[in-house]
Amino acid sequence: MHKSMKTIGVKIITFLSVFLLMSAVWSCTEADEDVAVDEKYTYRMHLEGGLTGTYHSETKAVAWEDETVIYLQFMKDSYSVTGVAEYDYDEDVWIVEVDEELDETDADNCEAYYFADPVSATSMKVHLSENSAVYGDQQAAYSLRGDQLVVKGYLTPMTSRIRFHGVPGTMIEVSGMLFYSLYNLTQNKFTECTDKMQVQLNEEGWSEHIYAVFADQEKREM
């Protein structure tokens, strides 16, 4: 009797193990299917304006390199639709992917951001460092007819920049400077960081540029 009960117990445990394993597999499959069926809407975009007011004296728009990426927030009713645009140099057009279909419009608001030298980037988040320059236009506009999308935006520096000079090869510690460490596309939110920085001076005595957040965005001063 005892041996029979033990055998039944082993069978029950085995059945439960198989059931839980199959449940886990089904859960993973469902999750993968959810990701796979996410529909993307694609538009061909023309950018009027572009990267202007860089850290040099010129104010004209800068030529884009192939596969450059711009992150977009299209305002729609009381929320925004996120988009990622990649530049096709050969066709001189931006290919934009958005998670939701945009409404046709003659003029609606949008935001546009470009990051130079990010640490890493995905379609959802861009990780930045003190050496990453941030450009943006939070008062851009877009129009849409069919799949022809036009964005009017002038992406200007959202950070100041500074570098240090001293004895070549010297390692210096910098503290008290605020810089952007992350941009979350889904939340349209920047994360700021004030970590201490170890800065190496090169053989000519100069450090790399540090891109710090403006203390006053209107005055555009550190």
Side-chain angles (χ1 to χ4, degrees):
M1 181 69 179
H2 177 71
K3 183 177 180 180
S4 177
M5 291 294 292
K6 184 176 181 181
T7 302
I8 293 173
V10 170
K11 289 182 177 180
I12 291 174
I13 292 173
T14 302
F15 172 76
L16 288 174
S17 299
V18 173
F19 175 77
L20 291 172
L21 178 60
M22 291 302 295
S23 296
V25 172
W26 290 331
S27 297
C28 291
T29 302
E30 289 173 357
D32 290 342
E33 287 177 355
D34 288 342
V35 172
V37 298
D38 280 346
E39 187 173 1
K40 295 287 186 180
Y41 295 89
T42 303
Y43 300 93
R44 294 170 65 85
M45 183 186 86
H46 174 66
L47 180 63
E48 293 185 3
L51 192 65
T52 62
T54 60
Y55 296 95
H56 306 291
S57 58
E58 69 268 15
T59 57
K60 63 180 181 181
V62 176
W64 297 104
E65 294 183 1
D66 192 42
E67 298 184 349
T68 298
V69 175
I70 288 179
Y71 297 84
L72 299 156
Q73 298 284 341
F74 298 100
M75 303 309 159
K76 184 175 181 180
D77 299 325
S78 59
Y79 63 97
S80 62
V81 176
T82 59
V84 179
E86 184 173 309
Y87 184 60
D88 185 326
Y89 180 84
D90 292 334
E91 295 193 24
D92 189 23
V93 68
W94 296 82
I95 305 300
V96 185
E97 280 195 349
V98 294
D99 295 327
E100 181 178 328
E101 190 173 11
L102 300 176
D103 296 328
E104 291 199 356
T105 178
D106 290 324
D108 258 318
N109 297 328
C110 69
E111 297 179 13
Y113 300 100
Y114 165 69
F115 306 99
D117 299 319
V119 176
S120 62
T122 67
S123 60
M124 298 177 64
K125 293 181 179 179
V126 182
H127 292 271
L128 307 165
S129 74
E130 67 273 14
N131 303 126
S132 305
V134 179
Y135 298 80
D137 186 348
Q138 297 173 321
Q139 297 181 339
Y142 75 97
S143 60
L144 175 64
R145 282 289 174 265
D147 68 341
Q148 299 300 311
L149 178 66
V150 177
V151 171
K152 296 180 180 180
Y154 296 87
L155 287 78
T156 56
M158 293 177 60
T159 51
S160 57
R161 75 173 185 174
I162 186 173
R163 63 176 178 163
F164 300 91
H165 187 261
V167 179
T170 300
M171 179 73 75
I172 62 175
E173 184 176 273
V174 179
S175 61
M177 299 187 72
L178 194 68
F179 62 93
Y180 292 123
S181 60
L182 176 72
Y183 173 64
N184 187 313
L185 182 69
T186 305
Q187 299 176 357
N188 193 21
K189 180 180 179 182
F190 284 90
T191 299
E192 298 174 347
C193 182
T194 56
D195 290 347
K196 291 182 179 179
M197 293 172 269
Q198 298 292 327
V199 179
Q200 177 79 49
L201 303 185
N202 62 23
E203 58 185 15
E204 296 179 352
W206 288 101
S207 71
E208 292 186 65
H209 283 103
I210 294 174
Y211 294 88
V213 178
F214 290 119
D216 187 322
Q217 285 288 350
E218 293 185 1
K219 293 183 179 179
R220 302 178 70 78
E221 295 176 350
M222 290 182 63

